[in-house]
Amino acid sequence: MAERKRILTGVRPTGSLHLGHYAGALENWVRLQGEYECFFLIADYQVSDYADDISRVRDSVWEVALDWLAVGLDPENSSFVVESLVPEHAELTTWLSWFLPLGMLERNPTLKAEMEALERGDETHAGKSVPVAFYTYPVMQVANILMPRAHLVPVGEDQLPHIELTREVARRFNRDFKPVFPEPEALVGRVPRLVGTDGNAKMSKSRGNTIDLKEPRESVAKKVKGMYAGPPRGATEPGVAEENPIFLYLEAFDPDKAEVASLKETYEKSGLPNKVLKDRLDGVLNALLDPIRERRSYYETRMPLVRDALAAGSARGRAAAQETMGFVREALDINYLEKHRNAGPGQ
Ligand code: TRP
């Protein structure tokens, strides 16, 4: 069989995954896992924002693995890799940081936005100082992607600048040393950015506006009922569908596109009570989440299987990493001991 092209993608272990992760990325991972050789990374070196609560990192590693199994990622066909179990990530980060000008990081929009949030003391950052790890994490993300010599990186829209950076680093390395790395492509999911249940532009844990993949039925019902549904409007007053997140969710998750189109037409012509839309959304979300919750509870009662998935996946990730590090050492010409040079320095 011809060798499959590779995918490397991942998340930081910060807690449960939500519908935004699903529509923005996970759905693509599930779809592509048969076609590509996949490395799914749990990036536990990259959660320095949780330095004061490492137990949360530890718990989240399991949460993420369970969510991945729940959505149908297959740990036998793909590798679930815990980043810190492949310490070559740290090694490659160190080498790459020699060749990455600080200016390249400073131009990275994601980092820029996070820096500004830190300076303002926003959100989860309030009252914290900036750890050195904050500056190195984009370099580490580059190392993550280059490590298995990935061709494709399916991610949410917010990760695109990191992939651009990776392409730049790959080009430079290949040009200045040896052609070791493919220039990876990014792939953004069907719904690049899902609005939060509060109408905020982005669903995110720190804003508390998520619907999690493991959310029980009753809780989904409650959240949908309480969802922001656009500017106030009487039940028989026409509305603008784009301004109503319920419609955005229906467009994202309702498999019956024709029905959504017809509801939209009615909504914009003669109005529809939000309750009708919310009831439909509740049904649609539960139809999506039922099998996910079911698979999750299967694994929750069989945690040794989850452990096996992480152990086997990390071992495969490590083998790929060691192969790449061999190429990197050779390209940089730092195989000191293997060269059998018996001459001393300067000779
Ligand atoms: N930074 C990504 C996030 O916050 C997680 C991540 C780490 C990642 N390494 C990666 C994503 C490599 C894609 C490729 O979600």
Side-chain angles (χ1 to χ4, degrees), residues 118-157:
L118 273 174
E119 275 156 20
R120 284 195 307 266
D122 274 12
E123 296 181 18
T124 52
H125 305 309
K128 292 185 188 168
S129 55
V130 184
V132 173
F134 191 81
Y135 291 90
T136 51
Y137 99 80
V139 190
M140 192 162 269
Q141 183 148 343
V142 170
N144 295 153
I145 297 168
L146 296 184
M147 191 57 92
R149 285 162 284 134
H151 303 90
L152 188 69
V153 193
V155 281
E157 188 186 46

mmCIF file of all heavy atoms in Angstrom, residues 118-157:
data_model
loop_
_atom_site.group_PDB
_atom_site.id
_atom_site.type_symbol
_atom_site.label_atom_id
_atom_site.label_comp_id
_atom_site.label_asym_id
_atom_site.label_seq_id
_atom_site.Cartn_x
_atom_site.Cartn_y
_atom_site.Cartn_z
ATOM 1 N N LEU A 118 -3.191 39.921 27.602
ATOM 2 C CA LEU A 118 -2.376 39.817 28.815
ATOM 3 C C LEU A 118 -2.087 41.203 29.389
ATOM 4 O O LEU A 118 -2.183 41.433 30.593
ATOM 5 C CB LEU A 118 -1.047 39.127 28.506
ATOM 6 C CG LEU A 118 -1.034 37.621 28.565
ATOM 7 C CD1 LEU A 118 0.297 37.085 28.090
ATOM 8 C CD2 LEU A 118 -1.287 37.134 29.982
ATOM 9 N N GLU A 119 -1.744 42.111 28.468
ATOM 10 C CA GLU A 119 -1.418 43.462 28.931
ATOM 11 C C GLU A 119 -2.621 44.138 29.572
ATOM 12 O O GLU A 119 -2.509 44.877 30.542
ATOM 13 C CB GLU A 119 -0.860 44.302 27.771
ATOM 14 C CG GLU A 119 0.639 44.065 27.603
ATOM 15 C CD GLU A 119 1.157 44.371 26.211
ATOM 16 O OE1 GLU A 119 0.490 45.103 25.451
ATOM 17 O OE2 GLU A 119 2.239 43.853 25.886
ATOM 18 N N ARG A 120 -3.812 43.847 29.012
ATOM 19 C CA ARG A 120 -5.035 44.426 29.587
ATOM 20 C C ARG A 120 -5.448 43.696 30.860
ATOM 21 O O ARG A 120 -6.305 44.151 31.581
ATOM 22 C CB ARG A 120 -6.196 44.318 28.586
ATOM 23 C CG ARG A 120 -6.152 45.316 27.453
ATOM 24 C CD ARG A 120 -7.516 45.360 26.761
ATOM 25 N NE ARG A 120 -7.952 44.040 26.354
ATOM 26 C CZ ARG A 120 -7.734 43.534 25.136
ATOM 27 N NH1 ARG A 120 -7.082 44.223 24.238
ATOM 28 N NH2 ARG A 120 -8.167 42.332 24.824
ATOM 29 N N GLY A 121 -4.897 42.502 31.078
ATOM 30 C CA GLY A 121 -5.300 41.699 32.229
ATOM 31 C C GLY A 121 -6.677 41.080 32.043
ATOM 32 O O GLY A 121 -7.454 40.936 32.969
ATOM 33 N N ASP A 122 -7.000 40.701 30.776
ATOM 34 C CA ASP A 122 -8.321 40.163 30.430
ATOM 35 C C ASP A 122 -8.552 38.749 30.904
ATOM 36 O O ASP A 122 -7.626 38.002 31.134
ATOM 37 C CB ASP A 122 -8.435 40.057 28.903
ATOM 38 C CG ASP A 122 -8.910 41.345 28.303
ATOM 39 O OD1 ASP A 122 -8.913 42.330 29.032
ATOM 40 O OD2 ASP A 122 -9.258 41.330 27.116
ATOM 41 N N GLU A 123 -9.802 38.380 30.881
ATOM 42 C CA GLU A 123 -10.252 36.987 30.969
ATOM 43 C C GLU A 123 -9.470 36.172 31.979
ATOM 44 O O GLU A 123 -9.321 36.548 33.127
ATOM 45 C CB GLU A 123 -10.147 36.331 29.578
ATOM 46 C CG GLU A 123 -11.071 36.999 28.599
ATOM 47 C CD GLU A 123 -11.006 36.367 27.222
ATOM 48 O OE1 GLU A 123 -10.521 35.233 27.109
ATOM 49 O OE2 GLU A 123 -11.475 37.005 26.277
ATOM 50 N N THR A 124 -8.914 35.048 31.483
ATOM 51 C CA THR A 124 -8.248 34.139 32.408
ATOM 52 C C THR A 124 -6.885 34.675 32.850
ATOM 53 O O THR A 124 -6.234 34.092 33.692
ATOM 54 C CB THR A 124 -8.004 32.765 31.730
ATOM 55 O OG1 THR A 124 -7.337 33.008 30.502
ATOM 56 C CG2 THR A 124 -9.290 32.046 31.473
ATOM 57 N N HIS A 125 -6.455 35.780 32.223
ATOM 58 C CA HIS A 125 -5.097 36.242 32.465
ATOM 59 C C HIS A 125 -4.964 37.198 33.638
ATOM 60 O O HIS A 125 -3.855 37.526 34.027
ATOM 61 C CB HIS A 125 -4.557 36.940 31.216
ATOM 62 C CG HIS A 125 -4.633 36.092 29.990
ATOM 63 N ND1 HIS A 125 -4.159 34.815 29.947
ATOM 64 C CD2 HIS A 125 -5.159 36.327 28.778
ATOM 65 C CE1 HIS A 125 -4.365 34.310 28.742
ATOM 66 N NE2 HIS A 125 -4.970 35.204 28.020
ATOM 67 N N ALA A 126 -6.104 37.674 34.144
ATOM 68 C CA ALA A 126 -6.065 38.757 35.126
ATOM 69 C C ALA A 126 -5.076 38.482 36.255
ATOM 70 O O ALA A 126 -5.074 37.405 36.854
ATOM 71 C CB ALA A 126 -7.452 38.983 35.686
ATOM 72 N N GLY A 127 -4.220 39.441 36.513
ATOM 73 C CA GLY A 127 -3.326 39.369 37.657
ATOM 74 C C GLY A 127 -2.171 38.399 37.518
ATOM 75 O O GLY A 127 -1.466 38.144 38.482
ATOM 76 N N LYS A 128 -1.948 37.849 36.317
ATOM 77 C CA LYS A 128 -0.856 36.884 36.157
ATOM 78 C C LYS A 128 0.279 37.538 35.400
ATOM 79 O O LYS A 128 0.066 38.390 34.540
ATOM 80 C CB LYS A 128 -1.334 35.660 35.376
ATOM 81 C CG LYS A 128 -2.337 34.825 36.140
ATOM 82 C CD LYS A 128 -2.682 33.567 35.365
ATOM 83 C CE LYS A 128 -3.832 32.818 36.028
ATOM 84 N NZ LYS A 128 -4.364 31.782 35.162
ATOM 85 N N SER A 129 1.508 37.074 35.682
ATOM 86 C CA SER A 129 2.623 37.572 34.885
ATOM 87 C C SER A 129 2.794 36.658 33.671
ATOM 88 O O SER A 129 2.259 35.553 33.633
ATOM 89 C CB SER A 129 3.891 37.608 35.729
ATOM 90 O OG SER A 129 4.112 36.340 36.274
ATOM 91 N N VAL A 130 3.539 37.128 32.704
ATOM 92 C CA VAL A 130 3.689 36.380 31.453
ATOM 93 C C VAL A 130 4.820 35.365 31.577
ATOM 94 O O VAL A 130 5.968 35.744 31.772
ATOM 95 C CB VAL A 130 4.014 37.344 30.284
ATOM 96 C CG1 VAL A 130 4.071 36.591 28.969
ATOM 97 C CG2 VAL A 130 3.003 38.470 30.230
ATOM 98 N N PRO A 131 4.522 34.067 31.476
ATOM 99 C CA PRO A 131 5.609 33.089 31.564
ATOM 100 C C PRO A 131 6.410 33.035 30.263
ATOM 101 O O PRO A 131 5.883 33.341 29.190
ATOM 102 C CB PRO A 131 4.876 31.767 31.787
ATOM 103 C CG PRO A 131 3.519 31.975 31.259
ATOM 104 C CD PRO A 131 3.217 33.438 31.276
ATOM 105 N N VAL A 132 7.670 32.638 30.378
ATOM 106 C CA VAL A 132 8.522 32.512 29.193
ATOM 107 C C VAL A 132 7.876 31.570 28.167
ATOM 108 O O VAL A 132 7.961 31.772 26.963
ATOM 109 C CB VAL A 132 9.923 31.984 29.598
ATOM 110 C CG1 VAL A 132 10.775 31.675 28.379
ATOM 111 C CG2 VAL A 132 10.626 33.008 30.488
ATOM 112 N N ALA A 133 7.179 30.543 28.685
ATOM 113 C CA ALA A 133 6.550 29.553 27.799
ATOM 114 C C ALA A 133 5.593 30.201 26.808
ATOM 115 O O ALA A 133 5.333 29.667 25.734
ATOM 116 C CB ALA A 133 5.796 28.514 28.629
ATOM 117 N N PHE A 134 5.079 31.363 27.185
ATOM 118 C CA PHE A 134 4.151 32.051 26.302
ATOM 119 C C PHE A 134 4.827 32.429 24.982
ATOM 120 O O PHE A 134 4.228 32.389 23.919
ATOM 121 C CB PHE A 134 3.638 33.296 27.021
ATOM 122 C CG PHE A 134 2.491 33.930 26.328
ATOM 123 C CD1 PHE A 134 1.211 33.429 26.488
ATOM 124 C CD2 PHE A 134 2.689 35.010 25.493
ATOM 125 C CE1 PHE A 134 0.149 34.002 25.833
ATOM 126 C CE2 PHE A 134 1.627 35.595 24.830
ATOM 127 C CZ PHE A 134 0.355 35.095 24.996
ATOM 128 N N TYR A 135 6.096 32.804 25.070
ATOM 129 C CA TYR A 135 6.826 33.197 23.860
ATOM 130 C C TYR A 135 7.233 31.996 23.034
ATOM 131 O O TYR A 135 7.395 32.087 21.830
ATOM 132 C CB TYR A 135 8.090 33.991 24.236
ATOM 133 C CG TYR A 135 7.764 35.333 24.811
ATOM 134 C CD1 TYR A 135 7.585 35.492 26.183
ATOM 135 C CD2 TYR A 135 7.607 36.433 23.981
ATOM 136 C CE1 TYR A 135 7.271 36.722 26.714
ATOM 137 C CE2 TYR A 135 7.288 37.673 24.510
ATOM 138 C CZ TYR A 135 7.119 37.813 25.871
ATOM 139 O OH TYR A 135 6.797 39.017 26.390
ATOM 140 N N THR A 136 7.447 30.884 23.697
ATOM 141 C CA THR A 136 7.948 29.725 22.947
ATOM 142 C C THR A 136 6.821 28.855 22.396
ATOM 143 O O THR A 136 7.069 28.012 21.551
ATOM 144 C CB THR A 136 8.870 28.851 23.817
ATOM 145 O OG1 THR A 136 8.206 28.566 25.029
ATOM 146 C CG2 THR A 136 10.187 29.532 24.091
ATOM 147 N N TYR A 137 5.569 29.103 22.855
ATOM 148 C CA TYR A 137 4.558 28.143 22.430
ATOM 149 C C TYR A 137 4.280 28.140 20.919
ATOM 150 O O TYR A 137 4.068 27.068 20.351
ATOM 151 C CB TYR A 137 3.284 28.227 23.293
ATOM 152 C CG TYR A 137 2.161 29.020 22.702
ATOM 153 C CD1 TYR A 137 1.327 28.453 21.738
ATOM 154 C CD2 TYR A 137 1.922 30.324 23.088
ATOM 155 C CE1 TYR A 137 0.313 29.196 21.181
ATOM 156 C CE2 TYR A 137 0.919 31.068 22.533
ATOM 157 C CZ TYR A 137 0.116 30.505 21.567
ATOM 158 O OH TYR A 137 -0.870 31.242 21.014
ATOM 159 N N PRO A 138 4.359 29.298 20.211
ATOM 160 C CA PRO A 138 4.171 29.178 18.752
ATOM 161 C C PRO A 138 5.302 28.381 18.101
ATOM 162 O O PRO A 138 5.075 27.662 17.131
ATOM 163 C CB PRO A 138 4.182 30.620 18.246
ATOM 164 C CG PRO A 138 4.002 31.479 19.452
ATOM 165 C CD PRO A 138 4.532 30.714 20.611
ATOM 166 N N VAL A 139 6.505 28.487 18.656
ATOM 167 C CA VAL A 139 7.630 27.711 18.117
ATOM 168 C C VAL A 139 7.348 26.228 18.346
ATOM 169 O O VAL A 139 7.602 25.385 17.487
ATOM 170 C CB VAL A 139 8.961 28.077 18.812
ATOM 171 C CG1 VAL A 139 10.130 27.446 18.067
ATOM 172 C CG2 VAL A 139 9.121 29.576 18.924
ATOM 173 N N MET A 140 6.788 25.941 19.512
ATOM 174 C CA MET A 140 6.476 24.554 19.821
ATOM 175 C C MET A 140 5.370 24.025 18.915
ATOM 176 O O MET A 140 5.394 22.879 18.486
ATOM 177 C CB MET A 140 6.084 24.431 21.286
ATOM 178 C CG MET A 140 6.032 22.999 21.714
ATOM 179 S SD MET A 140 6.081 22.812 23.484
ATOM 180 C CE MET A 140 7.813 22.662 23.807
ATOM 181 N N GLN A 141 4.425 24.884 18.613
ATOM 182 C CA GLN A 141 3.372 24.432 17.704
ATOM 183 C C GLN A 141 3.959 24.127 16.319
ATOM 184 O O GLN A 141 3.556 23.167 15.667
ATOM 185 C CB GLN A 141 2.260 25.486 17.619
ATOM 186 C CG GLN A 141 1.125 24.991 16.738
ATOM 187 C CD GLN A 141 -0.232 25.503 17.176
ATOM 188 O OE1 GLN A 141 -0.401 25.978 18.310
ATOM 189 N NE2 GLN A 141 -1.196 25.414 16.300
ATOM 190 N N VAL A 142 4.910 24.938 15.891
ATOM 191 C CA VAL A 142 5.617 24.662 14.638
ATOM 192 C C VAL A 142 6.312 23.295 14.755
ATOM 193 O O VAL A 142 6.199 22.451 13.863
ATOM 194 C CB VAL A 142 6.660 25.769 14.339
ATOM 195 C CG1 VAL A 142 7.558 25.374 13.176
ATOM 196 C CG2 VAL A 142 5.964 27.102 14.048
ATOM 197 N N ALA A 143 6.987 23.073 15.868
ATOM 198 C CA ALA A 143 7.683 21.793 16.082
ATOM 199 C C ALA A 143 6.691 20.628 16.059
ATOM 200 O O ALA A 143 6.975 19.569 15.492
ATOM 201 C CB ALA A 143 8.447 21.824 17.400
ATOM 202 N N ASN A 144 5.510 20.823 16.662
ATOM 203 C CA ASN A 144 4.481 19.767 16.670
ATOM 204 C C ASN A 144 4.127 19.326 15.250
ATOM 205 O O ASN A 144 4.008 18.143 14.957
ATOM 206 C CB ASN A 144 3.167 20.262 17.302
ATOM 207 C CG ASN A 144 3.264 20.602 18.767
ATOM 208 O OD1 ASN A 144 2.500 21.439 19.258
ATOM 209 N ND2 ASN A 144 4.195 19.989 19.478
ATOM 210 N N ILE A 145 3.925 20.336 14.407
ATOM 211 C CA ILE A 145 3.455 20.042 13.046
ATOM 212 C C ILE A 145 4.580 19.429 12.209
ATOM 213 O O ILE A 145 4.371 18.498 11.436
ATOM 214 C CB ILE A 145 2.907 21.326 12.378
ATOM 215 C CG1 ILE A 145 1.687 21.836 13.154
ATOM 216 C CG2 ILE A 145 2.547 21.072 10.912
ATOM 217 C CD1 ILE A 145 1.227 23.236 12.766
ATOM 218 N N LEU A 146 5.802 19.953 12.412
ATOM 219 C CA LEU A 146 6.924 19.437 11.622
ATOM 220 C C LEU A 146 7.347 18.046 12.092
ATOM 221 O O LEU A 146 7.904 17.265 11.318
ATOM 222 C CB LEU A 146 8.109 20.403 11.693
ATOM 223 C CG LEU A 146 7.874 21.788 11.081
ATOM 224 C CD1 LEU A 146 9.162 22.603 11.126
ATOM 225 C CD2 LEU A 146 7.380 21.687 9.633
ATOM 226 N N MET A 147 7.087 17.743 13.358
ATOM 227 C CA MET A 147 7.610 16.506 13.945
ATOM 228 C C MET A 147 7.271 15.255 13.137
ATOM 229 O O MET A 147 8.173 14.492 12.782
ATOM 230 C CB MET A 147 7.125 16.392 15.396
ATOM 231 C CG MET A 147 7.811 15.305 16.164
ATOM 232 S SD MET A 147 9.594 15.545 16.164
ATOM 233 C CE MET A 147 9.834 16.482 17.639
ATOM 234 N N PRO A 148 5.997 15.002 12.814
ATOM 235 C CA PRO A 148 5.739 13.803 11.991
ATOM 236 C C PRO A 148 5.843 14.108 10.495
ATOM 237 O O PRO A 148 5.433 13.304 9.683
ATOM 238 C CB PRO A 148 4.304 13.427 12.374
ATOM 239 C CG PRO A 148 3.670 14.713 12.744
ATOM 240 C CD PRO A 148 4.741 15.633 13.254
ATOM 241 N N ARG A 149 6.361 15.261 10.154
ATOM 242 C CA ARG A 149 6.460 15.720 8.755
ATOM 243 C C ARG A 149 5.069 15.671 8.109
ATOM 244 O O ARG A 149 4.822 14.978 7.119
ATOM 245 C CB ARG A 149 7.488 14.874 7.990
ATOM 246 C CG ARG A 149 8.931 15.239 8.361
ATOM 247 C CD ARG A 149 9.924 14.188 7.985
ATOM 248 N NE ARG A 149 9.851 13.074 8.913
ATOM 249 C CZ ARG A 149 9.824 11.796 8.571
ATOM 250 N NH1 ARG A 149 9.870 11.442 7.316
ATOM 251 N NH2 ARG A 149 9.755 10.856 9.501
ATOM 252 N N ALA A 150 4.163 16.440 8.752
ATOM 253 C CA ALA A 150 2.751 16.422 8.342
ATOM 254 C C ALA A 150 2.528 17.195 7.042
ATOM 255 O O ALA A 150 3.231 18.164 6.757
ATOM 256 C CB ALA A 150 1.895 17.034 9.447
ATOM 257 N N HIS A 151 1.526 16.722 6.286
ATOM 258 C CA HIS A 151 1.147 17.397 5.045
ATOM 259 C C HIS A 151 -0.059 18.292 5.244
ATOM 260 O O HIS A 151 -0.244 19.268 4.533
ATOM 261 C CB HIS A 151 0.803 16.358 3.966
ATOM 262 C CG HIS A 151 1.913 15.412 3.693
ATOM 263 N ND1 HIS A 151 2.072 14.222 4.371
ATOM 264 C CD2 HIS A 151 2.955 15.494 2.824
ATOM 265 C CE1 HIS A 151 3.153 13.604 3.916
ATOM 266 N NE2 HIS A 151 3.706 14.348 2.993
ATOM 267 N N LEU A 152 -0.923 17.904 6.195
ATOM 268 C CA LEU A 152 -2.193 18.617 6.348
ATOM 269 C C LEU A 152 -2.466 18.860 7.826
ATOM 270 O O LEU A 152 -2.208 17.991 8.659
ATOM 271 C CB LEU A 152 -3.319 17.765 5.743
ATOM 272 C CG LEU A 152 -4.682 18.425 5.639
ATOM 273 C CD1 LEU A 152 -4.669 19.541 4.598
ATOM 274 C CD2 LEU A 152 -5.762 17.398 5.275
ATOM 275 N N VAL A 153 -2.989 20.054 8.123
ATOM 276 C CA VAL A 153 -3.296 20.418 9.508
ATOM 277 C C VAL A 153 -4.735 20.929 9.587
ATOM 278 O O VAL A 153 -5.001 22.112 9.351
ATOM 279 C CB VAL A 153 -2.334 21.520 10.023
ATOM 280 C CG1 VAL A 153 -2.456 21.660 11.539
ATOM 281 C CG2 VAL A 153 -0.893 21.224 9.636
ATOM 282 N N PRO A 154 -5.692 20.039 9.878
ATOM 283 C CA PRO A 154 -7.075 20.504 9.988
ATOM 284 C C PRO A 154 -7.324 21.138 11.351
ATOM 285 O O PRO A 154 -7.180 20.484 12.382
ATOM 286 C CB PRO A 154 -7.906 19.210 9.822
ATOM 287 C CG PRO A 154 -6.964 18.073 10.026
ATOM 288 C CD PRO A 154 -5.554 18.584 10.043
ATOM 289 N N VAL A 155 -7.685 22.423 11.343
ATOM 290 C CA VAL A 155 -7.812 23.191 12.587
ATOM 291 C C VAL A 155 -8.941 24.205 12.495
ATOM 292 O O VAL A 155 -9.498 24.427 11.425
ATOM 293 C CB VAL A 155 -6.527 24.008 12.875
ATOM 294 C CG1 VAL A 155 -5.440 23.155 13.465
ATOM 295 C CG2 VAL A 155 -6.061 24.726 11.622
ATOM 296 N N GLY A 156 -9.225 24.849 13.606
ATOM 297 C CA GLY A 156 -10.141 25.989 13.623
ATOM 298 C C GLY A 156 -9.429 27.207 13.046
ATOM 299 O O GLY A 156 -8.202 27.280 13.002
ATOM 300 N N GLU A 157 -10.251 28.150 12.634
ATOM 301 C CA GLU A 157 -9.740 29.346 11.946
ATOM 302 C C GLU A 157 -8.663 30.099 12.740
ATOM 303 O O GLU A 157 -7.705 30.621 12.172
ATOM 304 C CB GLU A 157 -10.938 30.260 11.719
ATOM 305 C CG GLU A 157 -10.703 31.461 10.879
ATOM 306 C CD GLU A 157 -11.939 32.341 10.874
ATOM 307 O OE1 GLU A 157 -12.510 32.593 11.944
ATOM 308 O OE2 GLU A 157 -12.337 32.758 9.778
#
